[in-house]
Structures are given as structure tokens and as C-alpha cells.
Amino acid sequence: MKRLLKWLLYGIGGLIAVLLLTYIFFFFKWQVVSSRNRSLLGPEVSTLTVAGYTFRDLNKNGKLDGYEDSRLPTEQRVENLLSQMTLDEKAGLLFITMIPLGTDGAVSDIPGFSNPFSLIMETPSTMLVRKKMNHFNFVQSLEPDQMLTWHNGIQKMAERTRLGIPVTLASDPRHVATNKPGIGIKTPGFSNWCGPLGFAAIGDTTLMREFGDIARQEYRAMGIRLALSPQIDLATEPRWARFNGTFGEDATLTASLTKAFILGFQGDSIGTQSVACMAKHFPGGGAQKDGEDSHFAAGRAQAFPGRNFPYHLIPYEQGAFPAHVAQIMPNYSIPVGQTSEDVAAAFNKDLITGLLRKKYHFDGVVCTDWAVVNGIPYFKEASAWGVENLTPEQRVEKILNAGCDMFGGEAAPELVISLVKRGKISEDRINTSVRRVLRDKFRLGLFDQPYLTKADQRILGNPVFIRKGREAQRRSLVLLKNENLLPLKKRVKLYIQGFDETVVKQFAEVVARPEEADYVLLKLNTPYTPRHGNLMDLFIHQGRLDFPADEKEKLLALMKIKPTITILSVDRPMVIPELNAQSRAVIADFDCEDRIVLELIMGRFKPTGKLPFEFPSSVQSVEQQKEDLPYDSSHPLYAFGAGLSYR
């Protein structure tokens, strides 16, 4: 036994030594690569004074070029810069992907374990200097002062490239009170609001635009100038994993909230104070066959058994386009039978050129969803549905021929360069996309003032914004059932599951056993079917909506001990007829803070929210409903628009 333990320790020690030596090897390799990349950078930008005006000499030639002159019309500046760009620079402009942030705010090329993506993505200097890229998104959260340092550092690096083209920084949503990948990234200094379904439960376009305006200010304070939102798919398929990022299943409601959201972020027109929006996922992603998510091959197809494809376009027709949305992201999925070729939207010329460009006259940027060309190692395969047999270069060619401009989640401008040099794609075609991309950079004012200041960040932590976010959370909660139980009296005894005990103790006495309680307070998350594939499976919950039998029996047994208040933390509708029947009160929660839920339970405000989708009554009704139709679940447990209040 001792000998076995001895060899086990030797083995562990040897493995640690190998890992340490490997890291040391790569550490020095990364250092060398970083040094070589940064040696290619030019001097910092100086300023020019002409006719009493000051301009930035971005190409460092000592004279005022058209693209540097803020007095000129945007289109004139675009054409001047385009005429100076090499093919390499044009190709780099068409790619956007994730970039790691140094935990101390430094622009570091050394990957860190605090951000696993940094271990599988290109380094910042490789993308910006070698590959000429200047669009990035990030999934981390830094303190404001660290973000200011990092942001200005990456802009300074961009300034020292040949033409000084500034970086456009993009982000997924960051204002949801709970930290859920794809829905909300908790960010220091930002106000906390309900999730998109919560805004649909409120149904107030004035509030939606006010949120957009507040979020715009907070985004700008962190240097974010492109919102990878709103998600305006219609949630007509309850099993779909992206359900909780939508405004529900009603097209008219979604359209009205979409328009207000975009106007809040962009304003009536895009300017230096705007944050551009990228609405997604054209032409609508909610009609997923059997509810399977299109990040994965099993969800490659959309189904339209109700012949309701036009319904899913309404949020664009009545929302995004009237609000002059800056950018559009196509869907991963194949809209089976709806176009002349069964390929995913980014590869589909009928959808991008025929429908989006020609019918709707959209001339803004169209950017693919993330990783449809190469995939992301260990995280997800390329979502190249319908064109799996094509090489990455052929996929890029098909995407450009379809009418898209940018490649999301990719860092492969060499593929565009190769296509042009081999005569597969004309440089004129590339120029068309470059014009669209540059137009947004100029309209946002990035060429004239890309840097953050402490003054820009003073808006963070604004008490008015924080108060408005909490008020939105209150208005979003939906009281579905109340058998003369709520609101509770003060200082009751509660047995809790799923709540932060320190928060609950501010409202009631928390007891260790349900038998000691006056009431049981449960928070239930939507069930799902665990998948065993790549890392993306950890973030995408799909499949079943009902609780496994053993878990359900445990919950029912607990509910029988004392009167139960059930909080449904909804990311997809749940199938809970027995649990609902056993509950004395039921509340639908759309990513609100525990404190807000307790305030409602204790009667500090009255519920006003209305359910923006149906709760199905059985698994069979889910399976029998049609993926593309709203409100078609037979005998729903709770219908669209359900919602009670206190007397």
C-alpha cells in the first residue's frame, strides 16, 4: 500500500512538473510572439491644426486626409479611407470575435485561466496587428477603472497601426439582474433589470426605450459601442433553449418593444452618443424543429408546419426596420422549405440578398452568428448547416455571395484574401461590405474620439438608474395563482429552497426544517435535458420541460408539509400541473433579484405583470403544438396574458 501511494505521489508530481514546464514553454513562446507583433506598430498619433480645428493624424503622414477630417460628410470620409486601404486591411475589417481582457486591465497577450477563451483564441496583438482586425466582443466583467485602462490600451494599439482605424467593442446583454450566459453578464457599475421576457410581461414601450437609453449610457461608459442585441425571435416553440432571450411569442408586442429598445440605444439616428444595435436572428429563430437549438447539428432545421413563416418577420417589419437598426445577425438554422436552397440563413442568398437587401432595402451591416465557418475548438463545431461539405474558404465565399458583410466569432481574414487573389470574389464586392462597416465606425465618432475618460464613467452607479432597474423588476413579476395567501404577514417563519438565505432573513425568519415553518418558499428553475457533447452544452439548456419523477415526488412531498409559495424562475415554460395544483401561490420570475421577489411576497408592492407566453398543461400538448405558431398549446395551464394582482 505504501509503495502504491509512493508511486501515486510520484505520478502526480511528474504530471505537475510536465504541466509547469509546458506552461513555461508556451509562456516564453507567447512573449516572443507578442514582442514581434508589437514591433510592427508605428508611432502614436499626433494632432494637426487646420483653420483653427484640431484633427488626429491617423496615418501619420503629416497632412490632413479626408477620412481624418471630421467636417466632411461620412460617405466622403469612408471613400477616402477605402482608397488608402490594402486588401489585408479590408479583410481584417470584416471579422469580429472574442478578445480576452487582462484581469488587471492590461492588454496582455499571455492567456490566463480566469478566461478560458484566451487559451483557444488568437492573442490581441495577433488579431489587431497581424490580422488587421478591429472589431471585438468580450464576455468578462472588469471593474470600471480596469476596463478604462484596458479599453484605452487596445485603442492605443489600434491607433499605432498603419491607418489608425479604431476598435469597435461589442457585447452581449449586461443588464439582467441574474448572471446567465447569453442573457446577462453581471457588470460592475451597471443597473440591474429584468430579463427580456420580463419586459414583455410589463409591455410598456416607454419603459423599454428608457431602459435602452440608460443601457446606452452605461455601455458607452465602458467603451461598448455595439450591442449584440436585441434578440427578436418569436418564442413559438417552448422547448427552445433561446426562449428566455426573447420578448415572448406575440409578434406585435415583440415588434413594439424592439422598436423602443433600438431607439433607446441608437436614438432617432446614429451619432457620437449612440450604441449601435445588431438585431438577431434574421429571419427569426424561434421555430426550431422539436425545440432543438441550432448551435448544434441536431437543431440545424426549422419547421413551419403551420405555414407561419411571415409571422416571424413582423418584429423586423414593424420594429427593427422602422427604428433604423444598424446591423442584423442571421439565424444559424435552415428554414426548411422556405427558400430555393435549404441552407442556413448566413449562406442563403434568397434570405440575405433577396429578402433583406432587396425587399426590405436594408443596407446596414449583416454579420453572421458566431463560428459558422470554423467553429470554436472544444466549445462548438462550426454551425455550417446545409454546407457542411464545403471547406472553410468555400463557406466564406458562399456567405459573401449571399450578401453578408462580417464574420462573427472568426479570426480568419486570410480566407477572404485568398478568395480575392484567386479571383473567386472581386475586390469590388469586398469594398461594398467595407463601406458598410466603416460607415458605422464613422457615425459613432470612433475615428475622432475613441478613448474613455474618468468623466465618461461617472454615470456608472447612478442611483436613478439603479432605482429604475429595480422598479422594472417589480413590474415584471407575474402572479399566476393566489389562494388567499399573499401577501404574507410580517415576520413569518419560512423554510426556503433556491433563495439566498441572507436576503430572506431581512424579511422573515428562516427555519431549518419545513415542519417548523409557517410556509414553504421554493424557487424552481426550468428543467432541461443534459447533453454530453462540447462545452457549449453547459450554457444551452434545452429538451424536457417537466421535472423527473423522483425530483417531482420530493417537491410534492415537501409541499404537503406546509402551504407553499412557488417561484418559477423561467427561462422556458415549465410543465408543472401537479406542482401548480399543490402550490397555494405561484409567481413567474424573469431573472429578478431575490430581494424583489420577497418584496412582492410581503406585499410591499402589487403585482402587475402579464404572462407573455403560454404555460403548457402537459408534455403531450408541447409535442402536439406546432413550432411556428403562437398560442397553440391545447388547454394551457396558464394562457398568454395571465396575471393576477392583490385586492
Side-chain angles (χ1 to χ4, degrees):
M1 185 66 183
K2 289 183 178 180
R3 180 175 294 180
L4 178 62
L5 181 60
K6 177 182 176 180
W7 284 109
L8 180 61
L9 291 174
Y10 281 154
I12 294 173
L15 179 60
I16 292 173
V18 169
L19 291 174
L20 182 60
L21 289 172
T22 301
Y23 181 78
I24 291 172
F25 170 80
F26 279 103
F27 178 85
F28 283 107
K29 181 181 178 180
W30 292 324
Q31 290 279 27
V32 169
V33 170
S34 178
S35 178
R36 289 175 178 171
N37 289 342
R38 294 173 191 246
S39 70
L40 299 176
L41 292 169
E44 294 184 4
V45 163
S46 58
T47 58
L48 301 169
T49 301
V50 178
Y53 294 93
T54 300
F55 306 94
R56 303 173 70 227
D57 185 15
L58 295 170
N59 62 5
K60 301 95 178 168
N61 66 355
K63 66 178 183 179
L64 183 64
D65 291 85
Y67 82 96
E68 300 164 345
D69 191 343
S70 57
R71 299 169 299 179
L72 296 179
T74 294
E75 296 303 324
Q76 191 172 335
R77 298 181 76 182
V78 167
E79 292 302 320
N80 179 261
L81 177 54
L82 181 63
S83 71
Q84 298 188 44
M85 295 177 72
T86 65
L87 175 59
D88 289 10
E89 289 162 339
K90 293 173 184 177
L93 192 76
L94 304 185
F95 287 79
I96 176 173
T97 195
M98 292 173 289
I99 190 170
L101 309 183
T103 53
D104 59 354
V107 181
S108 174
D109 287 322
I110 308 302
F113 293 102
S114 62
N115 179 12
F117 285 114
S118 68
L119 299 170
I120 60 175
M121 305 299 288
E122 299 276 17
T123 65
S125 69
T126 296
M127 291 190 287
L128 200 150
V129 181
R130 292 277 181 182
K131 298 199 170 190
K132 317 294 193 245
M133 295 171 59
N134 45 58
H135 293 81
F136 305 106
N137 75 300
F138 65 104
V139 296
Q140 293 166 262
S141 291
L142 296 182
E143 293 295 331
D145 59 335
Q146 295 173 333
M147 188 65 198
L148 183 147
T149 300
W150 183 88
H151 176 272
N152 287 351
I154 199 72
Q155 293 291 10
K156 182 62 67 176
M157 188 182 292
E159 177 185 281
R160 294 174 58 196
T161 59
R162 190 179 75 89
L163 295 172
I165 298 174
V167 164
T168 301
L169 197 61
S171 179
D172 282 311
R174 289 180 172 267
H175 284 85
V176 178
T178 56
N179 197 27
K180 289 187 177 180
I183 300 301
I185 304 168
K186 291 277 284 186
T187 304
F190 279 23
S191 51
N192 295 321
W193 301 66
C194 55
L197 288 171
F199 281 110
I202 299 168
D204 184 341
T205 56
T206 300
L207 175 68
M208 186 81 265
R209 181 161 183 172
E210 187 173 25
F211 160 77
D213 181 56
I214 289 172
R216 171 192 65 82
Q217 296 176 61
E218 293 175 338
Y219 269 31
R220 289 190 77 261
M222 288 291 217
I224 302 166
R225 303 306 303 276
L226 174 62
L228 302 178
S229 53
Q231 183 190 334
I232 60 176
D233 309 305
L234 297 177
T236 53
E237 168 49 64
R239 292 166 290 186
W240 184 43
R242 303 297 297 275
F243 193 104
N244 61 340
T246 74
F247 293 128
E249 61 184 321
D250 185 83
T252 302
L253 174 61
T254 297
S256 64
L257 293 174
T258 295
K259 183 177 181 181
F261 181 105
I262 294 168
L263 290 173
F265 271 86
Q266 295 187 172
D268 294 325
S269 60
I270 295 179
T272 59
Q273 299 304 305
S274 300
V275 169
C277 287
M278 184 185 291
K280 57 189 184 184
H281 304 86
F282 186 83
Q288 283 299 122
K289 180 173 174 55
D290 299 325
E292 291 289 326
D293 188 78
S294 56
H295 283 86
F296 312 105
R300 66 201 299 271
Q302 289 186 305
F304 295 90
R307 300 182 179 180
N308 209 26
F309 180 82
Y311 183 76
H312 293 260
L313 292 166
I314 291 173
Y316 291 92
E317 295 170 337
Q318 299 179 16
F321 297 145
H324 308 292
V325 67
Q327 303 190 13
I328 294 289
M329 179 187 290
N331 189 19
Y332 277 134
S333 309
I334 301 171
V336 176
Q338 305 304 306
T339 58
S340 62
E341 184 183 15
D342 276 344
V343 295
F347 306 94
N348 196 314
K349 192 169 185 177
D350 287 354
L351 291 178
I352 306 303
T353 294
L355 187 60
L356 186 56
R357 298 292 192 198
K358 292 184 177 180
K359 179 178 179 179
Y360 293 126
H361 307 291
F362 180 75
D363 193 37
V365 172
V366 178
C367 177
T368 74
D369 207 336
W370 265 226
V372 301
V373 175
N374 289 298
I376 302 174
Y378 309 109
F379 200 72
K380 68 177 291 291
E381 62 182 312
S383 302
W385 313 137
V387 296
E388 294 92 338
N389 61 316
L390 299 184
T391 66
E393 186 172 301
Q394 290 170 330
R395 292 171 187 173
V396 168
E397 180 181 3
K398 193 167 183 64
I399 288 167
L400 290 169
N401 284 333
C404 296
D405 303 300
M406 293 190 72
F407 301 87
E410 306 281 354
E414 64 274 8
L415 297 178
V416 171
I417 295 167
S418 174
L419 286 168
V420 174
K421 288 184 175 180
R422 295 195 302 111
K424 296 290 187 178
I425 294 287
S426 72
E427 193 161 353
D428 282 345
R429 168 65 190 88
I430 301 303
N431 290 345
T432 297
S433 290
V434 170
R435 287 186 178 95
R436 293 179 181 131
V437 176
L438 287 177
R439 187 181 299 136
D440 281 349
K441 281 187 184 284
F442 278 112
R443 291 196 296 174
L444 291 169
L446 288 169
F447 280 90
D448 305 313
Q449 172 49 290
Y451 294 107
L452 285 177
T453 67
K454 283 287 187 183
D456 293 325
Q457 294 189 325
R458 287 176 189 157
I459 198 69
L460 298 174
N462 185 316
V464 174
F465 295 175
I466 293 171
R467 177 176 57 80
K468 288 182 177 293
R470 287 176 177 162
E471 182 58 32
Q473 291 182 58
R474 294 184 183 100
R475 293 178 62 187
S476 73
L477 291 168
V478 180
L479 179 63
L480 294 172
K481 181 179 181 180
N482 187 19
E483 294 183 345
N484 298 315
L485 183 67
L486 300 180
L488 298 182
K489 297 177 181 178
K490 295 181 179 179
R491 306 314 304 176
V492 296
K493 295 179 181 180
L494 296 177
Y495 175 80
I496 63 172
Q497 282 189 11
F499 280 85
D500 184 334
E501 184 175 336
T502 59
V503 173
V504 180
K505 283 182 175 179
Q506 298 174 31
F507 297 86
E509 181 181 348
V510 177
V511 297
R513 299 172 60 248
E515 291 82 1
E516 301 170 357
D518 298 316
Y519 306 100
V520 170
L521 176 61
L522 297 180
K523 180 184 283 189
L524 303 180
N525 295 310
T526 307
Y528 65 96
T529 306
R531 305 294 173 94
H532 302 285
N534 49 37
L535 291 175
M536 193 71 182
D537 290 315
L538 299 176
F539 304 100
I540 300 292
H541 292 175
Q542 55 185 329
R544 71 181 306 155
L545 300 174
D546 62 323
F547 286 92
D550 57 343
E551 187 176 351
K552 182 170 65 175
E553 290 306 314
K554 289 178 182 178
L555 290 170
L556 289 171
L558 176 60
M559 291 175 166
K560 290 175 182 177
I561 297 174
K562 288 294 173 71
T564 300
I565 305 159
T566 302
I567 311 302
L568 305 175
S569 186
V570 180
D571 62 19
R572 295 173 301 140
M574 307 179 194
V575 177
I576 52 163
E578 299 94 342
L579 297 174
N580 178 77
Q582 194 63 42
S583 301
R584 287 279 303 278
V586 179
I587 296 169
D589 159 41
F590 305 110
D591 299 304
C592 295
E593 301 167 35
D594 282 357
R595 176 183 304 277
I596 303 298
V597 177
L598 266 294
E599 288 178 359
L600 173 61
I601 290 169
M602 302 308 296
R604 297 191 182 180
F605 64 91
K606 292 184 178 182
T608 58
K610 303 297 180 184
L611 200 62
F613 54 85
E614 293 180 332
F615 259 82
S617 58
S618 67
V619 171
Q620 291 73 24
S621 68
V622 172
E623 294 170 344
Q624 292 168 4
Q625 55 89 46
K626 295 179 179 179
E627 291 93 336
D628 58 328
L629 294 180
Y631 336 117
D632 68 329
S633 173
S634 61
H635 308 292
L637 181 66
Y638 292 111
F640 176 93
L644 308 173
S645 188
Y646 295 154
R647 294 177 181 174

